[in-house]
């Protein structure tokens, strides 16, 4: 931990992700020797994170304090709130996880797939359920409205007072599933006294109210009715309310629906089992069953609204999907707006679909998507109902946090009673004050799911260098006396240089011979084959060659040395001379 002036009798609130960014929402609450986690999400990589599939927050603090972890609270089932749990359970146990039925159903499948289901106990909660975690935390689940079904705000009762974490929310007075925001319970807490409010800041820059999810229905219905051929619809896989409306409109317009995309299939299966999605069985048909139907009778519901590399819609746009090709006359509907960082990927996907002959319907002006996060008036209402003593804007990029703090100040919360924090800050809360009292590690952890391994910063830098500057590989065979057995082979991949390859190879040979002449005794100090430090020699040669090549070529390629050595040391004969065994060159041949 960095500088830490924390008071052990205070409540500590430590966000590990979700601040000054969108995604990987992870927060912990600590009192005395107990820690509870609130959500554990992931984010998706940028284009510069080559080979990285998932971005997680740095959990060093949790690993170091694993003995204090008493449990976890999950607010809802979006990936940026539950997607990191399976990865974390591989590093530390979480005794119990409480959360909504839909989120827990999705989580259970993730944990089974990751092989960590036995590392925790999963318990579902209903609106107004109260659960005790450890000695110091009593957590009440309060129904809210969001873009996914079964979403909650939580009131955390601590020895110092009640802290309310809104989770992701908007205030939808006409929710699709009829489950309204429990504003009454928020007001009751406000009447009794709320010590601190941690509130969703995503739409803090936008005046007014976020429209109801129901407002999308007539616009989708109009767009669908105008499609004369096959209809493709892509939206967030977790948007249960939106999917419900899409299925209902499809039934009205006599289209059958086929679902493409693993996450969409899993979500709809769980949501149907729990009753959050209601439709007749014959409305949903497998892809092979709709191929012989007239185009105007088919709706294909897919993942990929954010241009994700491996999502179904992206693969279709790239002509990489094994079963679906775009045809002239198809209509593709993007019922989602790009989240920050995804705009270029989404635009590229739209362009590719249009080039192939599809009519693509997208954009905020079409009214086919609304946000799941509240705007300024809803944020004001949250503050008015809870009447907190202290306020911390959560969940958003820096400008959003700043604007939300301004809104809170306009609602009468004094500036000294609120703070804008960063990931890793230790927020120390007492009955009379709030401050930042230190910091814990707060970087990122990168996951390459194809190898089930973590990608270190060094590996990422190497990948970035190879992608931008290319790579040079050098194969050199060296004997037991520190001499080259043959001229080294030099290969360039992705390197732009005016130097002739033959000249480069000659120069590399000379440089290796120079290093061996000057430094061989460092690695063979006793003159005996068994004493030679081949690993140290290879590392030194590689570093020196990399430094020299970059200086000569005026670029920064990665340099890899493949060093070949004899597989057996020379054997002494009677006259004391050494007889050589096979050389590296002979071994290679």
């Amino acid at each position: 931990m960095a500088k830490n002036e924390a008071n052990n009798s205070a409540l500590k609130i430590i966000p590990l992700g979700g601040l000054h960014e969108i995604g990987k929402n992870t927060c912990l609450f600590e009192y005395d020797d107990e820690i509870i986690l609130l959500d554990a999400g992931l984010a998706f990589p940028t284009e510069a994170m080559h080979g990285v599939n998932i971005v997680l927050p740095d959990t060093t603090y949790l690993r170091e304090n694993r003995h204090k972890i008493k449990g976890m609270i999950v607010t809802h089932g979006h990936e940026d709130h539950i997607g990191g749990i399976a990865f974390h359970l591989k590093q530390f146990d979480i005794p119990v996880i409480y959360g909504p039925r839909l989120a827990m159903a999705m989580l259970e499948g993730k944990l089974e797939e990751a092989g960590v289901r036995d590392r925790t106990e999963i318990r579902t909660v209903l609106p107004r359920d109260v659960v005790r975690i450890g000695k110091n935390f009593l957590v009440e689940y309060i129904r809210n409205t969001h873009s996914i079904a079964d979403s909650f705000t939580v009131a955390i009762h601590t020895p110092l007072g009640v802290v309310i974490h809104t989770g992701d929310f908007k205030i939808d007075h006409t929710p699709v599933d009829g489950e309204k925001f429990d504003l009454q319970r928020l007001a009751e807490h406000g009447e009794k006294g709320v010590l601190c409010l941690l509130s969703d800041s995503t739409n803090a820059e936008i005046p007014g109210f976020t429209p109801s999810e129901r407002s999308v229905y007539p616009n989708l219905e109009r767009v669908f009715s105008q499609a004369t051929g096959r209809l493709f619809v892509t939206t967030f896989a977790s948007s249960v309310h939106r999917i419900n409306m899409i299925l209902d409109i499809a039934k009205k317009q006599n289209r059958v629906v086929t679902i493409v995309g693993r996450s969409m299939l899993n979500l709809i299966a769980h949501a149907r089992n729990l009753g959050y999605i209601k439709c007749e069985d014959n409305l949903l048909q497998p892809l092979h069953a709709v191929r012989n139907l007239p185009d105007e009778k088919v709706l294909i519901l897919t993942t990929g609204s954010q241009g994700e590399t491996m999502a179904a819609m992206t693969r279709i746009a790239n002509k990489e999907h094994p079963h679906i090709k775009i045809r002239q006359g198809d209509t593709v509907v993007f019922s989602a707006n790009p989240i920050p960082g995804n705009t270029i990927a989404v635009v590229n996907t739209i362009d590719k679909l249009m080039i192939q002959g599809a009519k693509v319907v997208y954009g905020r002006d079409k009214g086919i998507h609304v946000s799941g996060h509240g705007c300024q008036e809803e944020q004001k209402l949250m503050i008015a109902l809870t009447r907190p003593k202290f306020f911390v804007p959560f969940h958003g990029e820096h400008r959003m946090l700043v604007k939300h703090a301004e809104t809170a100040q306009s609602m009468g919360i004094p500036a000294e009673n609120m703070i804008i924090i960063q990931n890793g800050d230790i927020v120390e809360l007492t009955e009379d004050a709030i401050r930042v009292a230190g910091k814990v590690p707060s970087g990122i952890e990168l996951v390459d799911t194809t190898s089930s391994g973590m990608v270190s910063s060094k590996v990422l830098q190497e990948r970035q260098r190879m992608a931008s500057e290319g790579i040079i590989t050098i194969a050199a065979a060296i004997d037991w006396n520190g001499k080259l057995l043959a001229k080294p082979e030099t290969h360039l991949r992705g390197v732009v240089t005016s130097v002739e390859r033959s000249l480069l190879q000659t120069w590399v040979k000379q440089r290796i011979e120079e290093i061996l002449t000057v430094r061989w005794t460092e690695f063979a100090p006793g003159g005996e084959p068994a004493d030679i430090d081949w690993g140290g020699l290879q590392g030194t040669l590689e570093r020196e060659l990399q430094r020299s090549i970059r200086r000569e070529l005026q670029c920064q390629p990665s340099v890899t040395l493949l060093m070949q050595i004899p597989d057996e040391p020379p054997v002494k004969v009677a006259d004391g001379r050494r007889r050589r065994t096979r050389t590296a060159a002979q071994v290679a041949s």
Side-chain angles (χ1 to χ4, degrees):
M1 186 189 298
K3 184 180 179 183
N4 185 353
E5 306 167 353
N7 177 355
N8 290 331
S9 64
L11 173 68
K12 301 178 188 67
I13 304 170
I14 308 174
L16 298 180
L19 292 172
H20 301 265
E21 63 183 351
I22 300 295
K24 62 184 179 68
N25 299 283
T26 306
C27 185
L28 63 94
F29 296 80
E30 182 175 353
Y31 190 85
D32 286 346
D33 60 348
E34 293 186 338
I35 289 175
I36 64 170
L37 282 162
L38 189 147
D39 292 337
L42 55 76
F44 294 103
T46 64
E47 290 184 356
M49 296 178 180
H50 305 289
V52 173
N53 309 102
I54 289 171
V55 181
L56 301 172
D58 187 333
T59 56
T60 300
Y61 185 79
L62 288 171
R63 293 194 298 270
E64 292 175 349
N65 293 274
R66 66 184 71 201
H67 59 286
K68 295 183 180 181
I69 300 173
K70 302 303 178 185
M72 173 182 280
I73 314 160
V74 169
T75 59
H76 65 284
H78 276 146
E79 283 293 284
D80 61 334
H81 290 261
I82 67 169
I85 297 175
F87 296 96
H88 300 330
L89 283 171
K90 294 179 180 180
Q91 303 179 65
F92 50 83
D93 288 346
I94 302 173
V96 61
I97 300 176
Y98 292 96
R101 293 188 304 156
L102 180 58
M104 294 300 94
M106 296 164 64
L107 178 61
E108 188 150 14
K110 292 176 182 293
L111 301 190
E112 291 283 0
E113 186 176 339
V116 292
R117 180 61 186 85
D118 61 342
R119 302 290 298 269
T120 189
E121 180 181 353
I122 290 177
R123 297 183 185 176
T124 59
V125 296
L126 296 172
R128 295 202 178 188
D129 276 357
V130 178
V131 299
R132 177 168 289 282
I133 305 178
K135 303 186 302 290
N136 295 303
F137 299 101
L138 201 65
V139 180
E140 179 183 355
Y141 277 80
I142 302 169
R143 171 75 74 193
N144 72 19
T145 46
H146 184 41
S147 56
I148 187 172
D150 223 4
S151 180
F152 286 87
T153 291
V154 290
I156 304 171
H157 298 254
T158 76
L160 298 179
V162 173
V163 175
I164 290 182
H165 190 297
T166 66
D168 292 7
F169 82 96
K170 69 177 183 181
I171 299 178
D172 192 337
H173 298 293
T174 57
V176 173
D177 59 4
E179 296 284 352
K180 297 180 180 178
F181 204 134
D182 192 353
L183 301 177
Q184 177 187 346
R185 190 64 186 137
L186 283 180
E188 290 171 359
H189 280 293
E191 188 68 27
K192 293 177 184 177
V194 171
L195 179 62
C196 185
L197 174 66
L198 315 174
S199 189
D200 177 7
S201 304
T202 307
N203 283 341
E205 300 169 286
I206 305 174
F209 292 89
T210 300
S212 168
E213 182 70 21
R214 282 190 183 275
S215 67
V216 172
Y217 192 102
N219 299 318
L220 284 176
E221 191 171 30
R222 183 188 69 256
V223 170
F224 288 8
S225 68
Q226 294 170 351
T228 56
R230 290 187 303 175
L231 179 60
F232 291 78
V233 183
T234 182
T235 189
F236 292 105
S238 56
S239 295
V240 174
H241 305 317
R242 189 75 48 82
I243 292 169
N244 248 329
M245 291 189 291
I246 290 167
L247 295 176
D248 188 59
I249 297 169
K251 180 183 177 183
K252 280 186 180 181
Q253 298 185 0
N254 296 315
R255 289 182 184 264
V256 297
V257 178
T258 189
I259 301 162
V260 181
R262 183 182 177 193
S263 58
M264 185 82 74
L265 283 163
N266 289 340
L267 187 282
I268 290 177
H270 288 310
R272 291 190 76 197
N273 288 338
L274 295 170
Y276 294 113
I277 289 180
K278 299 178 176 66
C279 68
E280 298 173 0
D281 289 343
N282 61 6
L283 179 65
L284 301 175
Q285 296 292 328
L287 184 59
H288 67 82
V290 304
R291 286 177 178 160
N292 296 325
L293 293 177
D295 287 355
E296 66 273 12
K297 297 294 183 183
V298 176
L299 188 153
I300 299 173
L301 183 58
T302 81
T303 55
S305 65
Q306 298 302 302
E308 306 96 314
T309 303
M310 296 305 296
M313 183 54 71
T314 308
R315 295 173 68 198
I316 293 168
N318 291 334
K319 300 182 182 180
E320 294 173 352
H321 197 282
H323 307 299
I324 302 174
K325 306 297 178 188
I326 291 294
R327 299 199 295 258
Q328 195 75 30
D330 288 341
T331 297
V332 181
V333 178
F334 277 73
S335 186
N337 292 331
I339 61 176
N342 290 349
T343 302
I344 293 175
V346 172
V347 168
N348 288 340
T349 300
I350 291 171
D351 279 349
K352 291 173 183 177
L353 292 167
M354 295 177 79
I355 289 169
Q356 294 173 54
K359 175 186 177 183
V360 184
V361 182
Y362 65 96
R364 299 176 187 274
D365 60 314
K366 301 298 187 300
I368 53 177
H369 175 70
V370 292
S371 175
H373 301 268
C375 295
Q376 288 177 6
E377 294 305 313
E378 287 143 290
Q379 292 169 353
K380 289 177 184 178
L381 182 55
M382 177 62 71
I383 293 168
L385 289 171
T386 56
R387 294 151 57 181
K389 182 174 184 179
F390 300 107
F391 177 75
V392 183
F394 250 62
H395 195 293
E397 296 174 343
H398 181 73
R399 65 187 184 281
M400 303 169 186
L401 305 179
V402 170
K403 190 63 181 178
H404 201 175
E406 292 174 0
T407 297
Q409 198 166 351
S410 74
M411 294 290 293
I413 298 179
E416 61 269 22
N417 282 17
M418 65 180 78
I419 51 176
I420 295 173
I421 58 174
Q422 300 181 17
N423 293 332
D425 283 350
I426 302 173
V427 178
E428 185 183 82
L429 187 64
T430 67
E431 293 177 351
D432 302 312
I434 187 170
R435 66 171 185 147
V436 175
K439 198 170 182 66
V440 305
S442 59
I444 57 176
E445 295 176 353
L446 307 175
V447 182
D448 182 345
T449 56
T450 60
S451 61
S452 300
M454 305 301 290
V455 180
S456 68
S457 58
K458 181 181 178 181
V459 169
L460 182 61
Q461 288 170 2
E462 289 175 349
R463 290 179 176 182
Q464 290 170 337
R465 187 178 297 119
M466 284 188 282
S468 61
E469 301 284 354
I471 181 171
I472 296 176
T473 57
I474 300 167
I478 300 172
D479 69 11
W480 294 100
N481 296 313
K483 304 295 183 184
L484 283 173
L485 290 168
K487 188 175 182 179
E489 289 287 333
T490 304
H491 299 277
L492 283 69
R493 295 288 184 273
V495 179
V496 178
T497 177
S498 59
V499 178
E500 293 288 339
R501 181 182 170 187
S502 59
L503 180 61
L504 179 62
Q505 286 186 319
T506 300
W507 181 84
V508 165
K509 176 178 179 292
Q510 292 173 348
R511 187 71 183 107
I512 292 176
E513 288 175 336
E514 288 173 7
I515 297 169
L516 289 173
T517 300
V518 174
R519 304 189 63 177
W520 173 249
T521 56
E522 293 179 27
F523 305 101
E528 292 297 324
D531 298 331
I532 298 174
D533 179 9
W534 293 109
L537 176 62
Q538 179 170 2
T540 296
L541 285 171
E542 191 169 82
R543 286 192 298 273
E544 291 297 329
L545 285 169
Q546 182 162 269
R547 186 179 298 116
S548 300
I549 286 172
R550 290 178 179 178
R551 184 175 61 248
E552 294 295 326
L553 301 187
Q554 295 296 301
C555 60
Q556 300 284 319
S558 291
V559 177
T560 299
L561 175 66
L562 306 175
M563 192 172 77
Q564 297 172 298
I565 61 173
D567 59 351
E568 295 177 8
V571 179
K572 285 186 178 180
V573 292
D575 62 1
R577 291 176 298 176
R578 296 182 187 273
R579 177 168 50 83
R580 295 191 179 279
T581 57
R582 293 179 299 163
T583 66
Q586 291 169 334
V587 171
S589 64

